[in-house]
Amino acid sequence: MDDALFGFAILLAVLIGIGTPVAALLGLIFAVQARRDLHRIQLRLDRLEAEMRTAPRPSDLAAEQAPAPAPEPIRAQPAEAAPPQPEAHRPISVPPIPAAAPQPVPSRPGFEEKLGSRWAVWVGGVALALGGIFLVRYSIEQNLLTPQTRIALGILFALALIGAGEWMRRRASSFGLLGIPSANVPSILTAAGTCTAFASAYAAYALYGLIGPGTTFVTLGLIAVLAMIASTLHGPMLAALGLLGAMGSPLLVSSDRPQPWALVVYLAFVVLPAYGVARLRLWRWLALAGSVGVLLWAAPIFFIGGSNVLPAMVHLVLQAGLAAFFLAIDPYRHVPDTEALIDQAASAVFLTFALAGIVVTSSIHTGDGRPFFVTAMALVLLAAGIRIAPVSTAATSAALLAAGALLIWPLATEIGGEPENLFYQSGDIFAVRPYALDTYLVLGALLPAVIAGASLLRLARSQGLRLSVAAWYAVAASVGPLLALVAAYWRVTAFERSLSFALVAGVLALAFVLASQWLMRGGRAEEDSAIRLGLGAAASAALGAVVLGLTFALEKGMLTVAFALTALGTAWVANRIAIPALRYAVGAIGLIVLGRLIWDPTIVGGDPGPVIVNWLLWGYGVPAVAFWLAGRLLERTGRDRIVQLTESLSIVFAAFLVFFEIRHALHAGDPLAADFRLLEAGLIATESLTFAILLTRLDIRRADPVYRWGSLIFKVVSFALSGIGLLAIENPLLTNDEITGGILFNSLILAYLLPSILAGGLAYAERNARPRYYVVASATLSLLLQWAYVALEIRRVFQGPNLGFFWRGFTQGEQWSYSVALLVIGIALLGYGIVRDNRFARIASAVYLVLAVLKVFIIDLSNLEGVMRALSFIGLGLVLIGIGLVYQRFLVRRPGNAAIS
């Protein structure tokens, strides 16, 4: 007992020793503040005295306001009385009002003021809390006090700090000390007391075992709630501390047998004061923080329960309802629809609730309560979204919850067996038939329909909704049912053909068509942009349902053809009825078709059939024609990005058609063969050049980025195939591959001559529409391919079908033929250049002639013998002399030469 009294005396002495400098410091702060206030009052009095000295006297004001003497009236003649004259209006002199004295503009606090009035207080509050902790630690280390005494002193110290904070708050309010509230001294003291109370309660449980887990749980929660209530007087920092303590208290209490139900009740108990304080003080951050806190506790409750997930289900439904009321319904109940803006923070919270609901739904332990839980969660979110426009995203979250629940519904392992979690299943990924199929189908049919109907009704009955708000209602009404249908189709049929689901998709399409007609009634769609958005969403959803129905009923090539014809029909409807969303739907279907063809380029997953007339013709040809016609229909109401997209898709589909038909014909019905030969390279280069010419002509007729970039892309592809494929990799001189066909009519015509002619045609088409280097590049490619054809054909005549360059020699006739060919081509180009006045052709002819001269003087001189050598030099001489005469006769007298024309 004596030791206890001695320890208490030491503790009291320490407290007095600490309190004395603290009290002195507080007194110094009060004195400095009072002196500063007196100085301000003195300055104001001096200013008022100066203004009174300069103010005008009352006698001067009266003299200024005195009326001027009236002029003597004119006397009338006695015989005739003068009519009475009205009194002249005199302006009333108003005394000047002295201007109000300018109020001093409060200056921003400097470093010294911040250091003395704010930072010192914060550091002091932290020092108080640490001092209490160190004092308790010292008493423990020295074994000065009993555990009960330590806890009692901690509680008394906490009460003393909280009482001091409240006393200072009231004193500061009564005396009007302006410096104290800005320094947050009362709230700092109260926060320090709250921390001490938390620490004392936790120490009584964790260190000394004086109280049990249940009592500790309730005590910590009560302290947190009281702190949040006190924050209405002491400011937001105490509210944040109380909420943090309330949400973190369950982590401090451990138990051998966790009670999820107790945690559910506790969280509801502590989050309600947070919502109440947020509502009272308009601290929206506190309400958001409370909702985030209870959401973070959803996962521990879910896992603590083990096989009993009912507490997690009740927790989510209850907290979603509280969040819906305090984050949406209560704050925005008086906000008109015309002024509604999306609340992004609350929208994120509702989306997280929906995702958490999907996770809980995936558990096999949810059991028969799954449909009720999903329905309750979806209806809570839907009610918030429908009732309050700023959280219209909650309606979309409800639709996402419904579709997600259908997507991850547990599996049916066997008839009458226990369900299996979708994420832990074994075996085939497509064996995904859901457990409790009847309940699954009923929920999948009713819940998305209710969400879509409520969203459309809300959209139709609102006036002046912003598009950002209306868009979420439109998404919930249109995308939600389609996602649910796709999820159910996968889970029930595993992506196999199903006429039943095709029929359901048709019914859904009909429902959206009827909804579109309902929205068009009354003519509001012409005036209200939100109604037009909903109309477009319903029409697009009807089209999407038709596409899904075709997907469910058809397969392979027929599905692709059906998609293309659907896009054409949609374009026709969009041309008849001005629904902007349908234009975008055409583009979306085009992208779907493109993805479908990339997924399976052969259309039917194997051999498409005979040459030319096969599934490639229908799978690529029909979409090409359909989207070209769709672009023409959509262009009647304006050429926009959607029209450009449809035309681009049409060009792509046509190019793929020709490409795969070439590969199908050359590879025995296998369009995806890994082999690549000379003839194929030449034909694909021919295709690319043909498309480049057509698009260039279209761009000349009507300039458009689609035609301009399309022609450039095809030109680059043709250059790559020609330069890399024909002249290098697949060159028969290097590969020694056999040239198919006869001596004159063989594969060299299709591989080299035809691309050469088309490259020349491309240069001719570009002459007035493209920069000069475009034309020069195309003409150069034409000449290179032309010479390659001539040279290879000469070698084919002399060497046979195999043209190996390194392992076969050259006969004298072959070498002489190359010289003749160079001269003939040079003469032909010169003639064309002279007739058409084309300078590029004349320069090209000069190149050929120079090559001929070099060949004759270098190669022929050393390799040819006898008459062949003589004929080579004689022919070269005659040609050069003739060219000189031609230049003298036709070109010297011309003043200038035109470029490529």
Side-chain angles (χ1 to χ4, degrees):
M1 184 65 181
D2 294 337
D3 294 338
L5 292 176
F6 178 72
F8 179 74
I10 292 178
L11 180 62
L12 183 61
V14 171
L15 290 176
I16 293 174
I18 295 175
T20 300
V22 171
L25 180 61
L26 291 176
L28 178 62
I29 293 174
F30 287 140
V32 172
Q33 184 62 40
R35 183 176 179 181
R36 185 179 301 168
D37 292 340
L38 288 175
H39 181 66
R40 291 178 180 173
I41 293 173
Q42 184 64 40
L43 291 176
R44 185 172 297 181
L45 289 174
D46 293 342
R47 188 182 298 110
L48 290 175
E49 289 178 358
E51 292 174 357
M52 292 180 64
R53 293 192 191 98
T54 58
R57 297 180 179 180
S59 58
D60 298 335
L61 294 176
E64 292 178 1
Q65 296 177 6
E72 183 178 358
I74 300 175
R75 297 181 178 274
Q77 296 296 329
E80 185 176 359
Q85 298 292 330
E87 184 179 359
H89 177 72
R90 299 186 183 94
I92 300 174
S93 177
V94 180
I97 301 175
Q103 298 295 330
V105 179
S107 60
R108 298 182 62 182
F111 175 76
E112 181 181 0
E113 295 179 359
K114 290 182 179 179
L115 183 64
S117 64
R118 296 186 180 180
W119 297 346
V121 175
W122 284 102
V123 175
V126 175
L128 278 176
L130 292 177
I133 294 173
F134 293 151
L135 188 60
V136 172
R137 179 181 178 182
Y138 174 78
S139 66
I140 294 173
E141 291 175 349
Q142 299 299 323
N143 198 18
L144 299 178
L145 303 174
T146 63
Q148 293 84 350
T149 306
R150 296 167 190 166
I151 298 302
L153 289 177
I155 294 174
L156 289 176
F157 184 61
L159 293 176
L161 290 175
I162 294 173
E166 179 61 21
W167 179 82
M168 291 189 66
R169 184 189 66 81
R170 295 187 180 185
R171 297 284 293 178
S173 176
S174 60
F175 288 110
L177 300 178
L178 301 179
I180 298 301
S182 64
N184 293 319
V185 173
S187 62
I188 294 298
L189 292 175
T190 307
T194 303
C195 292
T196 306
F198 270 115
S200 300
Y202 182 68
Y205 159 72
L207 299 180
Y208 307 120
L210 299 178
I211 56 178
T215 305
T216 306
F217 196 61
V218 174
T219 303
L220 293 177
L222 186 61
I223 294 173
V225 170
L226 292 177
M228 283 187 285
I229 294 174
S231 68
T232 59
L233 301 175
H234 290 277
M237 294 304 298
L238 188 59
L241 178 62
L243 181 63
L244 183 62
M247 293 300 167
S249 293
L251 297 175
L252 303 177
V253 182
S254 61
S255 176
D256 297 333
R257 294 185 301 173
Q259 299 293 330
W261 281 113
L263 190 54
V264 171
V265 175
Y266 169 81
L267 290 172
F269 171 74
V270 298
V271 80
L272 276 173
Y275 284 137
V277 171
R279 176 66 181 88
L280 182 64
R281 295 299 303 270
L282 301 180
W283 292 339
R284 185 162 180 77
W285 63 267
L286 183 61
L288 291 171
S291 62
V292 171
V294 296
L295 268 171
L296 293 177
W297 272 108
I301 295 174
F302 178 72
F303 290 108
I304 286 174
S307 60
N308 183 17
V309 297
L310 184 59
M313 297 162 61
V314 173
H315 171 73
L316 282 177
V317 174
L318 176 61
Q319 295 298 338
L322 292 176
F325 180 79
F326 287 103
L327 293 181
I329 297 176
D330 183 62
Y332 294 109
R333 64 184 184 276
H334 298 306
V335 176
D337 289 345
T338 55
E339 301 178 5
L341 295 173
I342 295 296
D343 188 336
Q344 297 181 359
S347 301
V349 169
F350 292 135
L351 176 61
T352 309
F353 270 110
L355 297 177
I358 293 174
V359 173
V360 173
T361 303
S362 66
S363 174
I364 60 175
H365 301 298
T366 308
D368 296 334
R370 183 179 295 105
F372 300 101
F373 167 70
V374 174
T375 303
M377 282 289 295
L379 291 181
V380 168
L381 297 175
L382 180 65
I386 297 300
R387 174 66 178 82
I388 302 299
V391 291
S392 58
T393 54
T396 306
S397 298
L400 178 63
L401 172 62
L406 296 174
L407 186 65
I408 65 171
W409 194 283
L411 300 170
T413 54
E414 58 184 17
I415 299 177
E418 293 295 328
E420 182 180 352
N421 195 293
L422 179 67
F423 300 108
Y424 301 103
Q425 60 145 342
S426 59
D428 186 9
I429 187 64
F430 293 103
V432 291
R433 194 171 183 85
Y435 179 77
L437 183 59
D438 294 339
T439 303
Y440 179 89
L441 293 176
V442 171
L443 181 69
L446 295 180
L447 187 57
V450 170
I451 296 173
S455 301
L456 274 180
L457 187 63
R458 175 68 165 88
L459 188 63
R461 292 187 174 181
S462 302
Q463 293 185 356
L465 271 180
R466 295 177 182 266
L467 288 180
S468 59
V469 175
W472 291 105
Y473 291 130
V475 170
S478 57
V479 179
L482 297 179
L483 290 179
L485 181 60
V486 172
Y489 172 68
W490 172 52
R491 294 300 308 277
V492 175
T493 67
F495 290 141
E496 295 294 333
R497 289 180 58 191
S498 175
L499 295 179
S500 299
F501 272 92
L503 180 61
V504 172
V507 173
L508 183 62
L510 178 61
F512 279 120
V513 170
L514 295 176
S516 302
Q517 293 181 349
W518 177 63
L519 290 173
M520 292 177 63
R521 291 189 307 176
R524 286 188 56 197
E526 299 295 333
E527 303 173 356
D528 197 332
S529 58
I531 298 297
R532 289 198 302 271
L533 180 64
L535 177 61
S540 301
L543 178 61
V546 171
V547 170
L548 289 178
L550 294 174
T551 304
F552 301 157
L554 304 175
E555 59 181 358
K556 298 181 180 179
M558 291 303 300
L559 178 60
T560 306
V561 172
F563 277 176
L565 295 178
T566 301
L568 179 59
T570 305
W572 181 79
V573 174
N575 183 47
R576 298 291 298 273
I577 303 174
I579 302 178
L582 291 180
R583 300 174 66 89
Y584 294 95
V586 175
I589 296 175
L591 296 178
I592 292 174
V593 174
L594 180 62
R596 162 72 178 84
L597 296 177
I598 293 174
W599 176 265
D600 184 9
T602 62
I603 307 298
V604 291
D607 188 357
V611 179
I612 303 299
V613 183
N614 49 43
W615 272 110
L616 295 172
L617 181 62
W618 305 111
Y620 289 95
V622 173
V625 175
F627 281 98
W628 182 264
L629 294 176
R632 302 280 69 77
L633 289 173
L634 295 177
E635 194 176 11
R636 294 179 181 178
T637 55
R639 185 173 182 82
D640 55 4
R641 296 296 177 85
I642 298 300
V643 176
Q644 294 176 343
L645 175 61
T646 54
E647 289 190 354
S648 300
L649 290 172
S650 173
I651 296 169
V652 169
F653 294 146
F656 279 162
L657 170 63
V658 178
F659 173 78
F660 283 113
E661 286 284 8
I662 292 173
R663 291 188 59 82
H664 175 269
L666 297 180
H667 296 284
D670 185 9
L672 301 181
D675 192 17
F676 189 79
R677 297 296 182 183
L678 173 67
L679 183 58
E680 182 179 350
L683 291 176
I684 296 176
T686 300
E687 173 198 358
S688 302
L689 290 167
T690 302
F691 276 94
I693 293 172
L694 292 175
L695 293 176
T696 301
R697 300 288 296 179
L698 289 174
D699 190 36
I700 294 173
R701 182 181 303 175
R702 181 180 56 187
D704 189 87
V706 173
Y707 307 140
R708 183 168 60 255
W709 285 102
S711 63
L712 179 60
I713 291 172
F714 281 111
K715 181 174 181 177
V716 170
V717 171
S718 65
F719 270 60
L721 288 169
S722 301
I724 300 175
L726 296 176
L727 300 178
I729 297 177
E730 297 299 328
N731 193 326
L733 288 176
L734 304 177
T735 62
N736 198 34
D737 291 338
E738 182 178 352
I739 303 298
T740 58
I743 295 179
L744 296 179
F745 298 99
N746 49 47
S747 58
L748 294 176
I749 296 177
L750 298 178
Y752 290 96
L753 181 59
L754 186 57
S756 172
I757 296 173
L758 291 175
L762 178 61
Y764 182 79
E766 292 175 332
R767 68 191 189 283
N768 295 324
R770 296 287 187 264
R772 177 177 174 78
Y773 60 87
Y774 273 58
V775 186
V776 171
S778 299
T780 302
L781 177 64
S782 175
L783 294 176
L784 289 175
L785 292 176
Q786 177 208 38
W787 171 245
Y789 168 73
V790 172
L792 292 173
E793 182 63 34
I794 291 173
R795 190 161 179 79
R796 170 66 181 84
V797 171
F798 288 93
Q799 298 291 342
N802 298 103
L803 312 180
F805 178 76
F806 296 105
W807 47 90
R808 287 175 178 267
F810 294 88
T811 65
Q812 292 193 8
E814 181 182 350
Q815 290 194 13
W816 183 75
S817 299
Y818 291 138
S819 302
V820 173
L822 288 172
L823 292 174
V824 170
I825 294 174
I827 293 172
L829 288 174
L830 179 60
Y832 177 81
I834 293 174
V835 173
R836 299 300 302 268
D837 196 15
N838 191 303
R839 187 169 179 268
F840 178 82
R842 295 195 299 271
I843 293 175
S845 71
V847 172
Y848 273 92
L849 294 174
V850 169
L851 290 175
V853 170
L854 292 176
K855 181 182 181 300
V856 169
F857 280 92
I858 296 176
I859 298 177
D860 292 357
L861 183 63
S862 59
N863 293 330
L864 296 181
E865 297 177 355
V867 69
M868 288 296 181
R869 179 186 298 177
L871 290 177
S872 178
F873 276 87
I874 291 172
L876 177 62
L878 292 176
V879 170
L880 294 177
I881 292 173
I883 290 173
L885 293 175
V886 170
Y887 266 86
Q888 292 176 6
R889 182 176 182 85
F890 293 99
L891 296 178
V892 172
R893 298 179 184 178
R894 295 191 179 186
N897 298 318
I900 295 177
S901 58

